[in-house]
Amino acid sequence: MSLLFPGYSGLTYFGRLPFLAAALTFALLLDAFLLVNCYWTALLTVSQRNILLFVLLSAWVGLTVFVKKYRQHIEAVLNVDAASEAFQQAAALYLQRRWDAAETFILCQLHKNPGDAEFLLLQASLYRRIKRYEEALNVLERLRRLESGNRWYVEIETEKRLIREEQNC
């Protein structure tokens, strides 16, 4: 059905307005063509019917290309959301105090993207929680040296302060 009707699969999967617009546009054009071609047959000559059929097929191709490009755009945007989903999963493991699983997951994500500041900060916090203070300080120093590390200055300093406090106890 999705191949025959541009926008249908995107509408059912993503529920976005451009998919609805493409599906409705094609539906209206198809309905108009069928109405004129089947019901008001005396109004059209063969050449007019062929022109309308060409317009319908052109609209189908154009809408299919538009929907495909828009779907690629949406999927690219959702890949960014996949990164935040991975962070949410890591944070959930951290908050559940499943330290080993959280560390494994964080290290896996950092292997894919070593410069991910959020995961580095979470890793440092995890190491502080499990009393691996030297490793936590090393991760914080690595985070500070990153280009995006300036954005995390307050969090880095807070983690360092918490480490110092826990070491003194």
CSV table of all heavy atoms in Angstrom, one decimal, residues 74-90 105 109 112 116 119:
chain,number,residue,atom,x,y,z
A,74,ILE,N,13.8,12.9,8.2
A,74,ILE,CA,13.2,12.6,9.6
A,74,ILE,C,14.1,11.5,10.2
A,74,ILE,O,14.4,11.6,11.4
A,74,ILE,CB,11.8,12.1,9.5
A,74,ILE,CG1,10.9,13.3,9.0
A,74,ILE,CG2,11.3,11.5,10.8
A,74,ILE,CD1,10.8,14.4,10.0
A,75,GLU,N,14.5,10.5,9.5
A,75,GLU,CA,15.3,9.5,10.0
A,75,GLU,C,16.7,10.0,10.5
A,75,GLU,O,17.2,9.5,11.5
A,75,GLU,CB,15.4,8.3,9.0
A,75,GLU,CG,14.1,7.5,8.9
A,75,GLU,CD,14.2,6.5,7.8
A,75,GLU,OE1,15.1,6.5,7.0
A,75,GLU,OE2,13.2,5.7,7.7
A,76,ALA,N,17.2,11.0,9.7
A,76,ALA,CA,18.5,11.6,10.1
A,76,ALA,C,18.3,12.3,11.4
A,76,ALA,O,19.2,12.3,12.3
A,76,ALA,CB,19.0,12.5,9.0
A,77,VAL,N,17.2,13.0,11.6
A,77,VAL,CA,16.9,13.7,12.8
A,77,VAL,C,16.7,12.7,14.0
A,77,VAL,O,17.2,13.0,15.1
A,77,VAL,CB,15.7,14.6,12.6
A,77,VAL,CG1,15.2,15.2,14.0
A,77,VAL,CG2,16.0,15.8,11.7
A,78,LEU,N,16.1,11.6,13.7
A,78,LEU,CA,15.9,10.6,14.7
A,78,LEU,C,17.1,9.9,15.2
A,78,LEU,O,17.2,9.4,16.3
A,78,LEU,CB,14.8,9.6,14.3
A,78,LEU,CG,13.4,10.2,14.2
A,78,LEU,CD1,12.4,9.1,13.7
A,78,LEU,CD2,12.9,10.8,15.5
A,79,ASN,N,18.2,9.9,14.3
A,79,ASN,CA,19.4,9.3,14.7
A,79,ASN,C,20.1,10.2,15.8
A,79,ASN,O,20.7,9.6,16.7
A,79,ASN,CB,20.4,9.2,13.5
A,79,ASN,CG,20.1,8.0,12.6
A,79,ASN,OD1,19.4,7.1,13.1
A,79,ASN,ND2,20.6,8.1,11.4
A,80,VAL,N,19.9,11.5,15.8
A,80,VAL,CA,20.3,12.3,16.9
A,80,VAL,C,19.5,11.9,18.1
A,80,VAL,O,20.1,11.8,19.2
A,80,VAL,CB,20.1,13.8,16.5
A,80,VAL,CG1,20.3,14.7,17.7
A,80,VAL,CG2,20.9,14.2,15.4
A,81,ASP,N,18.3,11.6,18.0
A,81,ASP,CA,17.5,11.2,19.1
A,81,ASP,C,17.9,9.8,19.6
A,81,ASP,O,17.8,9.5,20.8
A,81,ASP,CB,16.0,11.1,18.8
A,81,ASP,CG,15.4,12.5,18.5
A,81,ASP,OD1,16.0,13.5,19.0
A,81,ASP,OD2,14.4,12.6,17.9
A,82,ALA,N,18.5,9.0,18.7
A,82,ALA,CA,19.0,7.7,19.2
A,82,ALA,C,20.2,7.9,20.2
A,82,ALA,O,20.3,7.1,21.1
A,82,ALA,CB,19.5,6.9,18.0
A,83,ALA,N,21.0,8.9,19.9
A,83,ALA,CA,22.1,9.2,20.9
A,83,ALA,C,21.5,9.6,22.2
A,83,ALA,O,22.0,9.2,23.3
A,83,ALA,CB,23.0,10.3,20.3
A,84,SER,N,20.5,10.4,22.3
A,84,SER,CA,19.9,10.8,23.5
A,84,SER,C,19.2,9.6,24.2
A,84,SER,O,19.2,9.5,25.4
A,84,SER,CB,18.9,12.0,23.4
A,84,SER,OG,17.8,11.6,22.7
A,85,GLU,N,18.7,8.7,23.4
A,85,GLU,CA,18.1,7.5,23.9
A,85,GLU,C,19.2,6.6,24.6
A,85,GLU,O,19.0,6.0,25.6
A,85,GLU,CB,17.4,6.7,22.8
A,85,GLU,CG,16.7,5.5,23.3
A,85,GLU,CD,15.9,4.8,22.2
A,85,GLU,OE1,15.3,5.5,21.3
A,85,GLU,OE2,16.0,3.5,22.1
A,86,ALA,N,20.4,6.6,24.0
A,86,ALA,CA,21.5,5.8,24.6
A,86,ALA,C,21.9,6.4,25.9
A,86,ALA,O,22.1,5.7,26.9
A,86,ALA,CB,22.6,5.8,23.6
A,87,PHE,N,21.9,7.8,25.9
A,87,PHE,CA,22.3,8.4,27.2
A,87,PHE,C,21.2,8.2,28.3
A,87,PHE,O,21.5,7.9,29.4
A,87,PHE,CB,22.4,9.9,27.0
A,87,PHE,CG,22.9,10.6,28.2
A,87,PHE,CD1,24.2,10.6,28.6
A,87,PHE,CD2,22.0,11.3,29.0
A,87,PHE,CE1,24.6,11.2,29.8
A,87,PHE,CE2,22.4,11.9,30.2
A,87,PHE,CZ,23.7,11.9,30.6
A,88,GLN,N,19.9,8.2,27.9
A,88,GLN,CA,18.9,7.9,28.8
A,88,GLN,C,19.0,6.5,29.4
A,88,GLN,O,18.8,6.2,30.6
A,88,GLN,CB,17.5,8.1,28.2
A,88,GLN,CG,17.2,9.5,27.9
A,88,GLN,CD,15.9,9.7,27.2
A,88,GLN,OE1,15.2,8.7,26.8
A,88,GLN,NE2,15.5,10.9,27.0
A,89,GLN,N,19.4,5.5,28.5
A,89,GLN,CA,19.6,4.2,29.0
A,89,GLN,C,20.8,4.1,29.9
A,89,GLN,O,20.7,3.4,31.0
A,89,GLN,CB,19.8,3.2,27.8
A,89,GLN,CG,19.9,1.8,28.1
A,89,GLN,CD,20.0,0.9,26.8
A,89,GLN,OE1,20.0,1.4,25.7
A,89,GLN,NE2,20.1,-0.4,27.0
A,90,ALA,N,21.9,4.8,29.6
A,90,ALA,CA,23.0,4.8,30.5
A,90,ALA,C,22.7,5.4,31.9
A,90,ALA,O,23.0,4.9,32.9
A,90,ALA,CB,24.2,5.5,29.9
A,105,PHE,N,28.2,-0.1,29.5
A,105,PHE,CA,27.4,0.6,28.5
A,105,PHE,C,28.1,2.0,28.1
A,105,PHE,O,28.2,2.3,27.0
A,105,PHE,CB,26.0,0.9,29.0
A,105,PHE,CG,25.1,1.4,27.9
A,105,PHE,CD1,24.5,0.6,27.0
A,105,PHE,CD2,24.8,2.8,27.8
A,105,PHE,CE1,23.7,1.1,26.0
A,105,PHE,CE2,24.0,3.3,26.8
A,105,PHE,CZ,23.4,2.4,25.9
A,109,GLN,N,29.7,3.2,24.5
A,109,GLN,CA,29.3,4.4,23.8
A,109,GLN,C,30.5,5.3,23.6
A,109,GLN,O,30.6,6.0,22.6
A,109,GLN,CB,28.2,5.2,24.6
A,109,GLN,CG,26.9,4.5,24.7
A,109,GLN,CD,26.3,4.2,23.3
A,109,GLN,OE1,26.3,5.0,22.5
A,109,GLN,NE2,25.8,3.0,23.2
A,112,LYS,N,32.5,4.3,20.7
A,112,LYS,CA,32.0,4.8,19.4
A,112,LYS,C,32.2,6.3,19.2
A,112,LYS,O,32.5,6.7,18.1
A,112,LYS,CB,30.4,4.6,19.4
A,112,LYS,CG,30.0,3.1,19.4
A,112,LYS,CD,28.5,3.0,19.4
A,112,LYS,CE,28.0,1.6,19.6
A,112,LYS,NZ,26.6,1.5,19.9
A,116,ASP,N,32.3,12.4,23.5
A,116,ASP,CA,31.0,12.7,23.9
A,116,ASP,C,31.0,13.2,25.4
A,116,ASP,O,31.2,12.4,26.3
A,116,ASP,CB,30.1,11.5,23.8
A,116,ASP,CG,28.6,11.8,24.0
A,116,ASP,OD1,28.3,12.7,24.8
A,116,ASP,OD2,27.8,11.1,23.4
A,119,PHE,N,28.6,11.6,28.1
A,119,PHE,CA,29.0,10.3,28.6
A,119,PHE,C,30.3,10.4,29.4
A,119,PHE,O,30.4,9.6,30.4
A,119,PHE,CB,29.2,9.4,27.4
A,119,PHE,CG,27.9,8.7,27.0
A,119,PHE,CD1,27.3,9.1,25.8
A,119,PHE,CD2,27.3,7.7,27.7
A,119,PHE,CE1,26.1,8.5,25.4
A,119,PHE,CE2,26.2,7.1,27.3
A,119,PHE,CZ,25.5,7.5,26.1
